[in-house]
Amino acid sequence: MGTDGDHQDEFIRGDRPKDLLRNSILTPSLGAAIMNAKYVNALPINRIEQEFARNGLNLSRQVMAGWIIKCSERYLQPLYDRLKEILLEYPVNQSDETPVEVIKDGRPAGSQSYMWVHRSGELYRERPIVLYEYQKTRNSCHPKEFYKDYKGILMTDGLEQYHKAARELDGLTNANCWAHARRSLADALKAIGKKNDEAAKRSTAYQALTRIAAIYKLEGTLKDLSAEERLRERQSSIKPLVDEYFVWAKERLADTACLPKGETAKGLNYCVNQEEYLRVFLTNGDVPIDNSASERSIRPFTVGRKNWVFIYSTKGADASAVVYSITETARLNDLNPYYYLKRLLEELPQRMDVDGHISPSDLDDLLPWSTTLPDKCYKNNR
């Protein structure tokens, strides 16, 4: 179950000052074990049910799903809200989205929903944050709502929804991903290479990728520099390569005698059309060259999706977004997700006022980078 040595008797004993859920056997250890198994180890909830049954603990998947939703809404949501407040203070964020099927969302069967991911810029080494957000659609209103008060740069792929949000929000600048810029060109080269390696090396796609690789090679030497130093090096060393690439790409597209076709034309047109956004990383040393960090952050969700296929309800999707946010932010900060979840489920009920509210502003000592967390919360115990 991924509980790092905790035993079943710890899951169900009542050593807590306040019950997590009234008239429930749920303990912080048990709740953390279920969430860790599902959201960190990517086990479908029916598998978790089977694992518990093999060890003599009969818990139905419906009961466990209900616990996750209630704990998310009641206890973890305020921590999510506090992390969002902090994320929107960072000058550079990154975003991406991936499809998910939600069975009970009030729409016809098979309707496609989306899990969006919002994270701190890859080049911020301290206090990284990744937040998931469930939405029924891919509409631009969703990033526009999330970033409505944001003043900074948002690194994304070339999706028009992000461009639209940036056009309509004062203070938001959209930067685009060079990894996406090369994908169609890489596909074109792969197709040519299967037939003729020499022809591939003479191709326009190969020439384009060689130029982009030179940009990436120089960028790779700057990762340990400060933002100010990185910006100076980008301006002096990388900007001339970017300038030359766009001049060259436009010349290729204007060459009627040898006009690129297929994936090569698609790739060059993408780059030229996105030039404004692809150049943003040259203006700010904190902006990464691509959106690969967002794709890495969304991968735990896509791995889980392969196992459980769909989410049953919108409440379950919202709860999943919150728990994934907590566990993945914990991992980015070198915490052990199980022990961190256990700590949260021990502590957060004690922070609830008489009206059942927890103030996000009072949770800073529970954030993943807090120096007051128990030693067990750290991946390598201090």
Side-chain angles (χ1 to χ4, degrees), residues 179-190:
H180 278 81
R182 68 184 299 280
R183 285 182 182 174
S184 291
L185 298 165
D187 290 341
L189 186 64
K190 190 181 297 183

Side-chain angles (χ1 to χ4, degrees), residues 9-116:
D9 59 345
E10 181 184 345
F11 295 160
I12 59 176
R13 66 182 184 229
D15 54 351
R16 57 197 186 279
K18 184 185 290 187
D19 287 346
L20 280 170
L21 302 174
R22 183 175 295 178
N23 300 322
S24 167
I25 67 167
L26 183 64
T27 65
S29 296
L30 180 56
I34 294 168
M35 292 180 190
N36 189 71
K38 179 172 173 58
Y39 297 105
V40 178
N41 295 336
L43 288 180
I45 203 160
N46 64 303
R47 284 275 307 281
I48 302 172
E49 179 185 49
Q50 293 166 5
E51 288 291 325
F52 277 131
R54 271 194 283 270
N55 289 281
L57 183 58
N58 294 316
L59 288 175
S60 73
R61 65 196 74 177
Q62 292 84 3
V63 166
M64 288 187 284
W67 285 347
I68 291 171
I69 291 170
K70 290 175 183 176
C71 286
S72 169
E73 293 174 341
R74 191 172 299 180
Y75 302 122
L76 300 181
Q77 184 69 49
L79 190 69
Y80 177 102
D81 294 340
R82 179 62 182 134
L83 287 168
K84 182 178 177 181
E85 290 175 356
I86 297 169
L87 179 68
L88 294 178
E89 294 172 357
Y90 291 174
V92 177
N93 281 343
Q94 299 182 232
S95 189
D96 199 3
E97 75 293 325
T98 191
V100 62
E101 184 178 355
V102 178
I103 300 299
K104 298 288 185 179
D105 69 352
R107 297 183 296 171
S111 297
Q112 191 160 266
S113 297
Y114 287 86
M115 191 66 79
W116 298 68

Side-chain angles (χ1 to χ4, degrees), residues 172-183:
L172 176 63
T173 300
N174 190 199
N176 275 183
C177 167
W178 275 89
H180 278 81
R182 68 184 299 280
R183 285 182 182 174

Side-chain angles (χ1 to χ4, degrees), residues 179-214:
H180 278 81
R182 68 184 299 280
R183 285 182 182 174
S184 291
L185 298 165
D187 290 341
L189 186 64
K190 190 181 297 183
I192 299 169
K194 289 179 180 178
K195 303 172 185 176
N196 189 323
D197 286 344
E198 289 302 317
K201 291 180 180 179
R202 293 193 302 269
S203 69
T204 299
Y206 181 85
Q207 295 173 43
L209 288 170
T210 299
R211 285 169 166 80
I212 295 174

Side-chain angles (χ1 to χ4, degrees), residues 330-380:
R331 296 213 291 187
L332 281 178
N333 286 274
D334 294 322
L335 297 185
N336 180 304
Y338 166 74
Y339 284 109
Y340 183 55
L341 285 167
K342 181 172 178 284
R343 174 63 173 175
L344 295 178
L345 294 177
E346 288 169 345
E347 187 65 27
L348 288 169
Q350 319 312 317
R351 310 266 177 123
M352 186 175 284
D353 64 23
V354 293
D355 296 319
H357 298 138
I358 300 173
S359 173
S361 62
D362 294 333
L363 299 178
D364 284 7
D365 63 314
L366 293 177
L367 293 173
W369 48 81
S370 170
T371 58
T372 61
L373 294 172
D375 288 348
K376 268 194 171 184
C377 289
Y378 294 88
K379 194 177 292 183
N380 297 312

